[in-house]
Amino acid sequence: MGRNSDARPKILAAGRDLLARRGYSALGVAEICAAAGVPKGSFYYFFDSKQALAEAVIEDHWVEQRAQWAALLGSDKAPLERLRDLYDATTEVQRRAQKDTGAVTGCLFGNLALELSARDDEIQRRLQEIFDEQITLVAEVVDQAQRDGTIDVPDAREAARSLVAQLEGSVLFAKLRNDPGELDQLWPHTAALLGAKA
Amino acid sequence: MGRNSDARPKILAAGRDLLARRGYSALGVAEICAAAGVPKGSFYYFFDSKQALAEAVIEDHWVEQRAQWAALLGSDKAPLERLRDLYDATTEVQRRAQKDTGAVTGCLFGNLALELSARDDEIQRRLQEIFDEQITLVAEVVDQAQRDGTIDVPDAREAARSLVAQLEGSVLFAKLRNDPGELDQLWPHTAALLGAKA
């Protein structure tokens, strides 16, 4: 397969799928190449190592997810409806993963955070930044809801951090139980916790 | 080292430490034996496999943690104070881990849930049960606070599930940042979210 072919996107897609399903440590470059249908030479032409691929997968996934989060949280709906859209979209992603692959794959960032944070400074730092960006996106909406008077929290950023932590923990439960339904009760309960009026 | 010696507790202690710091897949039996200071023969006398050791480590850790949770959540303090004690104890565990080992090790159950849930049915089922027990312990206190009129939530068990998910997600952030301080703002914010009256 030529080096100007579609080998790179194939490797990225296979890497993302395998990282989500099997984690980082259990994965080898040979397995990624087999799933992508490319020879090892192509892999090492585009990526220095499995770590370099993992970093590229993280970037790729965050570009997509950030665009989705920004669109949902920046729509012209009322702030709490935007937040609800984010929860619904998160549930839908897990439901689709289960339908397509048989398994709730969870959150790629959370999975890698727990598996690698004590071992890989570069990935650790990047994941910190990504979660910070997620919290910032959510904090803007929480702040707007607070100014609208539809919720009542002591601090918008701390509330957003709590919400993202809760979402992350709930996705972990959905993955552990292989049941996207774990996420169904999250929004109504979270809205109540935020002190949402109705 | 004889088979009636202290090899088993040494293997368990080393396994727990290494699983918390390095995860499951990256770990080999040889490394566990080296850390425990026992020959491989001793390992296989007590454990059939790395998986069997992981299962024993999980049981061991949950026996300890459940005793701690039950004591804190079952004390004669007011319900919300008991819940706060649990948050403080969780923060303290991570702070001590960082002081002793240099790293916030996070939650052993959450770490293994994300790394193994798509791969190991036995461990997956046991971790599900453990998180259910955690939710039940917290739900009892939430229910008491609800009946006392000190908080206002729509459903005690769903609230408890949210709280445990939030705690789990926050411990993930603390591990990712290697900063137990991530947990310091959790309790005041959670109390506010629960609608706690001062």
Side-chain angles (χ1 to χ4, degrees):
Chain A
M1 182 169 292
R3 277 157 191 178
N4 294 316
S5 72
D6 57 353
R8 190 173 183 280
K10 279 186 178 172
I11 296 166
L12 273 174
R16 180 160 152 178
D17 173 56
L18 288 168
L19 279 171
R21 286 195 292 116
R22 313 218 310 109
Y24 181 87
S25 302
L27 209 59
V29 168
E31 186 181 357
I32 297 165
C33 291
V38 304
K40 269 204 178 182
S42 289
F43 182 97
Y44 286 109
Y45 180 76
F46 291 110
F47 302 100
D48 286 344
S49 59
K50 181 173 76 166
Q51 180 182 326
L53 171 66
E55 287 169 12
V57 166
I58 288 169
E59 286 315 308
D60 216 47
H61 185 52
W62 179 229
V63 165
E64 269 181 41
Q65 191 181 89
R66 183 172 44 201
Q68 188 194 31
W69 282 45
L72 294 171
L73 295 175
S75 79
D76 54 8
K77 296 186 186 175
L80 282 191
E81 285 178 50
R82 292 182 237 161
L83 204 52
R84 188 199 178 127
D85 285 345
L86 175 67
Y87 281 63
D88 287 347
T90 301
T91 307
E92 183 51 30
V93 165
Q94 300 302 328
R95 215 176 283 282
R96 204 178 323 127
Q98 197 201 33
K99 209 175 154 195
D100 292 350
T101 71
V104 170
T105 46
C107 165
L108 180 71
F109 307 133
N111 298 352
L112 291 174
L114 286 193
E115 197 184 342
L116 297 181
S117 63
R119 287 183 288 153
D120 190 303
D121 285 348
E122 196 60 51
I123 291 181
Q124 182 175 12
R125 193 164 48 243
R126 187 61 188 125
L127 292 172
Q128 288 170 3
E129 289 168 358
I130 288 172
F131 281 117
D132 276 342
E133 285 190 72
Q134 290 188 347
I135 291 165
T136 299
L137 285 166
V138 170
E140 283 166 18
V141 173
V142 170
D143 188 51
Q144 284 171 30
Q146 179 87 334
R147 282 187 280 115
D148 287 357
T150 42
I151 63 168
D152 183 19
V153 295
D155 178 283
R157 190 160 180 94
E158 282 304 321
R161 184 191 307 277
S162 269
L163 291 178
V164 175
Q166 195 179 50
L167 196 56
E168 197 62 35
S170 300
V171 169
L172 182 155
F173 286 170
K175 180 177 165 76
L176 177 62
R177 288 177 208 281
N178 195 24
D179 178 11
E182 279 284 312
L183 296 164
D184 286 341
Q185 286 309 303
L186 187 59
W187 171 253
H189 193 76
T190 301
L193 283 185
L194 280 168
K197 280 128 198 158
Chain B
M1 181 168 293
R3 280 160 188 174
N4 292 317
S5 72
D6 56 354
R8 191 173 184 278
K10 279 185 177 173
I11 296 166
L12 273 174
R16 180 160 154 178
D17 174 57
L18 287 168
L19 279 172
R21 286 195 293 115
R22 313 218 311 111
Y24 181 87
S25 302
L27 210 58
V29 168
E31 186 181 358
I32 298 166
C33 291
V38 305
K40 269 205 178 183
S42 288
F43 182 95
Y44 286 109
Y45 181 77
F46 291 111
F47 303 101
D48 285 343
S49 60
K50 182 173 76 165
Q51 181 183 324
L53 171 66
E55 288 170 10
V57 167
I58 288 169
E59 287 314 310
D60 214 45
H61 185 50
W62 179 230
V63 166
E64 269 182 41
Q65 192 182 88
R66 182 172 43 199
Q68 188 193 29
W69 282 43
L72 293 171
L73 295 175
S75 79
D76 54 8
K77 295 187 188 176
L80 282 191
E81 284 178 52
R82 291 181 237 162
L83 204 51
R84 185 197 183 128
D85 285 345
L86 175 67
Y87 280 64
D88 286 348
T90 301
T91 309
E92 183 52 30
V93 165
Q94 299 301 327
R95 215 177 282 283
R96 204 177 324 126
Q98 196 199 35
K99 209 175 154 195
D100 292 349
T101 71
V104 170
T105 45
C107 165
L108 180 70
F109 306 131
N111 299 351
L112 291 175
L114 287 192
E115 197 186 341
L116 297 183
S117 63
R119 286 184 288 152
D120 190 305
D121 285 348
E122 196 60 51
I123 290 181
Q124 182 175 9
R125 192 164 47 243
R126 187 61 188 126
L127 292 172
Q128 288 170 2
E129 290 168 356
I130 288 172
F131 281 118
D132 276 342
E133 285 190 72
Q134 289 187 347
I135 291 166
T136 299
L137 285 166
V138 170
E140 282 165 18
V141 172
V142 170
D143 188 52
Q144 284 170 29
Q146 180 87 334
R147 283 188 278 116
D148 286 357
T150 42
I151 63 168
D152 184 17
V153 294
D155 178 284
R157 187 156 182 101
E158 282 305 320
R161 184 191 307 277
S162 270
L163 291 177
V164 175
Q166 194 179 51
L167 197 56
E168 196 62 35
S170 300
V171 168
L172 182 155
F173 286 170
K175 178 177 166 75
L176 177 62
R177 290 177 207 283
N178 194 22
D179 178 10
E182 280 284 312
L183 297 165
D184 285 340
Q185 286 309 303
L186 187 61
W187 171 252
H189 194 73
T190 301
L193 283 185
L194 280 169
K197 281 129 198 158

